[in-house]
Each structure stands twice: as C-alpha cells, then as structure tokens.
C-alpha cells in the first residue's frame, strides 16, 4: 500500500462520521454509507505522486468532488425521468414542441459534422476518452503520446464541438 493511500485510510477512519454528515448535507439521492464506500474505493486508487501532505484536506476534497459528481448524476437522471414521463403520459409542460425538436436536430447535425472534421489524433483521443470512457492515462499510452499532449487534443476537440453546438 502506498504512503498516500495509508495517509488517506487513516484520515478516513478518523473522519468517517464527519464525512457521512457532509454527504447528508450535500443531499444526493444515494445513501451516505454508499458514498462512503465509493470514497474508500477512490482512496485505494490514489497515486503515490505527488505526495499528500494534508490527508484530511485531501480526503474532504475527494468527498466533496464525489458528492458533486453524484449530484450531477442525480440531476441527469431526473431530467431523463421527466422527459420519459412527459413522453409516456403526455405532460404538455415538458413536451418538446416541433420548433425545439427541429433546433435540437440541427444542433446535433452540426456537432456530428464537426466531429467528422476533427483531425487525427484529436478525433481518436476524443473518441477513446469521451465515447469509450477510457481514462486519459490509458488513452495517452494507447496513442503513444504524453498525457499533456492527449489532454491538449481532448481540449481542442471539446472546444471545436462546443463551437459547432453553439452555431
């Protein structure tokens, strides 16, 4: 076990109750105990470099990021459920009208066209990371480039696709 993981495990044990309260305050749809387990798993994956000097602060940052991520997931699920409900039950307040559907289709076509025009290796790096879900470190190794180079290609792809989306 790495030194960083050891530091974080000790902080986790001593701050478990405070972390549980933090998760309750952040108000996600997931039980605090489940988030604590997910946090513990993330702790086990922390790299050795750079060394962690303040385990408690690092731990609470990890916990906060986890709760924020979970909140985003909850919001996305809620939006999908609302949309499905409106489609299934005809809730007119959430139903897409023809104009919104047309604009959304137009936006999608612009993004697809921009994706097709991405240069290599930008397109492949974007595809591996954002579509296939491969971690950036693995993408960089697969493509034979540095992590920094892979990050720059990903940022370029996101910027170009965002510009296309916005018209």
């Amino acid at each position: 076990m790495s030194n960083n993981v050891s530091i974080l495990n000790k902080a986790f044990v001593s701050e478990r109750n405070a972390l549980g309260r933090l998760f309750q305050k952040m108000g996600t749809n997931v039980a605090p105990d489940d988030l604590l387990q997910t946090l513990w798993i993330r702790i086990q994956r922390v790299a050795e470099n750079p060394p962690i000097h303040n385990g408690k602060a690092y731990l609470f940052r990890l916990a906060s990021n986890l709760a924020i991520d979970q909140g985003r997931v909850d919001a996305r699920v809620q939006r999908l459920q609302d949309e499905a409900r409106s489609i299934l039950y005809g809730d007119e307040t959430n139903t897409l009208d023809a104009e919104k559907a047309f604009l959304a289709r137009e936006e999608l076509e612009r993004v697809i066209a921009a994706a097709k025009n991405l240069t290599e290796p930008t397109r492949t790096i974007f595809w591996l990371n954002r579509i296939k879900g491969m971690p950036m470190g693995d993408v960089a190794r697969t493509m034979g480039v540095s992590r920094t180079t892979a990050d720059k290609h990903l940022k370029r792809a996101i910027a170009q696709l965002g510009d296309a989306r916005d018209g």
Side-chain angles (χ1 to χ4, degrees), residues 11-29:
F12 181 84
V13 169
S14 67
E15 299 296 331
R16 181 173 164 70
N17 291 335
L19 291 165
R21 287 189 302 273
L22 172 72
F23 289 141
Q24 284 177 328
K25 285 181 185 177
M26 299 210 53
T28 67
N29 291 334

Side-chain angles (χ1 to χ4, degrees), residues 5-75:
V5 172
S6 176
I7 290 169
L8 291 174
N9 278 333
K10 288 176 187 172
F12 181 84
V13 169
S14 67
E15 299 296 331
R16 181 173 164 70
N17 291 335
L19 291 165
R21 287 189 302 273
L22 172 72
F23 289 141
Q24 284 177 328
K25 285 181 185 177
M26 299 210 53
T28 67
N29 291 334
V30 177
D33 286 342
D34 292 339
L35 290 172
L36 284 169
Q37 182 176 0
T38 302
L39 177 62
W40 185 83
I41 291 169
R42 283 193 181 180
I43 289 170
Q44 305 316 305
R45 295 181 186 159
V46 171
E48 186 60 33
N49 285 322
I52 296 172
H53 299 291
N54 187 339
K56 183 177 176 181
Y58 194 96
L59 178 66
F60 275 87
R61 174 53 66 190
L62 278 176
S64 177
N65 288 346
L66 175 61
I68 290 168
D69 291 347
Q70 187 60 49
R72 289 179 182 147
V73 169
D74 292 348

Side-chain angles (χ1 to χ4, degrees), residues 141-157:
R141 281 189 292 281
T142 299
M143 297 299 295
V145 297
S146 71
R147 170 72 190 258
T148 304
T149 300
D151 286 337
K152 287 179 183 176
H153 281 287
L154 181 61
K155 286 178 185 176
R156 183 178 305 132

Side-chain angles (χ1 to χ4, degrees), residues 106-122:
E106 222 176 39
E107 182 179 302
L108 178 61
E109 288 172 0
R110 285 193 310 268
V111 171
I112 290 171
K116 288 179 181 177
N117 290 327
L118 290 173
T119 59
E120 285 299 333
T122 303

